[in-house]
Amino acid sequence: MEIEKSRNQEYLKIMEDIYHVSQKSGLKSFVWGGFAVDILQGEFTREHGDLDCFTEKLDENREMLRQQYEALGYSVSYMEEFWMLRIEKNGMHASFNSVRDIDGIAHWYHIGPRGTVYFPYDWLDRTPRLFYGIPVYTIGEKMAYVLKSSARLLNPEWRMREKDCADIARLERLLDMKAEEREEIKKKVWSHNPYWYARGYEECYYPILL
């Protein structure tokens, strides 16, 4: 598929800047969401409206990261409640949560201190992939598949969309595994979301297991 002019090309430039900041700061940022599926497949499958990432130890390094992105011309804001950094330029934006490696388990604080997803840290890219010539780190095929097929890990109100079903099919082809093997992958991921429990979702009181 040809690169969509405008938005996708602009996001490629943002990915290039994110990689630059990762190299300069020593803190990798990993792309997840719909963009990750396209990166893993090696081409754009549709036009994208935003870019989702998480960054190593973002919470205690946010001021350094803010300065580095501002030096690249981005408008930068930080949502304290969610430990989320947001950068914006030319109408395009990317958002970053914090992730931490604790004894080989990734703790992804997707709602700041009130929502955490846990998974094997070695599922994340250790070396960058090239996407249209741009080096980029992703969450890898396994984690991308789990998130796409089990969005309740993040949000009990999530409703599957047509594009999510298409992404799941692409990831299943990339994984090239039997259905029972894919189910075993899911058992290595869990989450705890007191944010949603406080909003009346009783099932979020205990960790969500797959």
Side-chain angles (χ1 to χ4, degrees):
M1 177 182 180
E2 290 186 8
I3 303 176
E4 293 280 351
K5 292 183 178 179
S6 69
R7 297 188 70 88
N8 282 347
Q9 288 181 327
E10 288 292 330
Y11 276 115
L12 279 176
K13 174 56 178 171
I14 295 177
M15 288 184 210
E16 185 174 30
D17 289 341
I18 290 171
Y19 179 76
H20 171 78
V21 170
S22 291
Q23 294 300 100
K24 186 174 181 180
S25 67
L27 302 170
K28 295 184 180 70
S29 289
F30 303 91
V31 176
W32 66 281
F35 259 121
V37 180
D38 281 6
I39 294 167
L40 294 167
Q41 184 168 281
E43 63 178 354
F44 283 120
T45 61
R46 63 175 183 270
E47 190 170 353
H48 295 269
D50 56 13
L51 179 60
D52 296 309
C53 308
F54 47 75
T55 301
E56 295 172 321
K57 302 178 183 179
L58 180 147
D59 45 318
E60 69 260 46
N61 292 287
R62 65 180 186 269
E63 285 306 316
M64 175 184 67
L65 293 167
R66 177 197 294 273
Q67 292 172 16
Q68 293 192 17
Y69 282 115
E70 286 180 343
L72 293 173
Y74 289 90
S75 171
V76 183
S77 59
Y78 185 76
M79 297 177 67
E80 185 73 42
E81 181 182 6
F82 302 122
W83 295 354
M84 178 183 287
L85 189 78
R86 177 186 166 103
I87 64 173
E88 184 171 355
K89 184 196 291 187
N90 300 328
M92 309 290 133
H93 68 272
S95 298
F96 307 81
N97 298 115
S98 185
V99 67
R100 187 180 298 275
D101 178 3
I102 302 178
D103 297 327
I105 300 298
H107 293 225
W108 168 25
Y109 306 101
H110 70 101
I111 319 179
R114 293 182 292 157
T116 310
V117 176
Y118 308 86
F119 59 94
Y121 202 83
D122 63 8
W123 283 7
L124 299 174
D125 287 344
R126 304 323 301 162
T127 58
R129 302 168 189 260
L130 282 181
F131 186 57
Y132 293 100
I134 304 299
V136 58
Y137 294 100
T138 77
I139 58 174
E141 292 87 350
K142 292 179 181 178
M143 193 58 187
Y145 173 72
V146 173
L147 291 178
K148 280 291 181 178
S149 60
S150 306
R152 66 191 179 93
L153 285 164
L154 302 176
N155 183 348
E157 295 181 348
W158 187 263
R159 297 293 179 267
M160 189 72 71
R161 303 160 297 181
E162 184 177 343
K163 62 183 179 180
D164 296 319
C165 295
D167 284 344
I168 290 170
R170 293 186 184 98
L171 290 165
E172 287 177 348
R173 290 194 292 272
L174 288 173
L175 286 170
D176 192 24
M177 292 178 171
K178 297 178 181 178
E180 56 267 29
E181 293 175 313
R182 296 196 299 269
E183 289 303 307
E184 286 300 312
I185 288 174
K186 293 181 181 181
K187 294 178 183 179
K188 296 183 179 181
V189 184
W190 71 100
S191 71
H192 186 221
N193 294 303
Y195 173 91
W196 289 107
Y197 173 68
R199 281 156 177 73
Y201 288 85
E202 296 292 329
E203 69 273 20
C204 292
Y205 179 76
Y206 295 105
I208 297 173
L209 307 176
L210 297 177

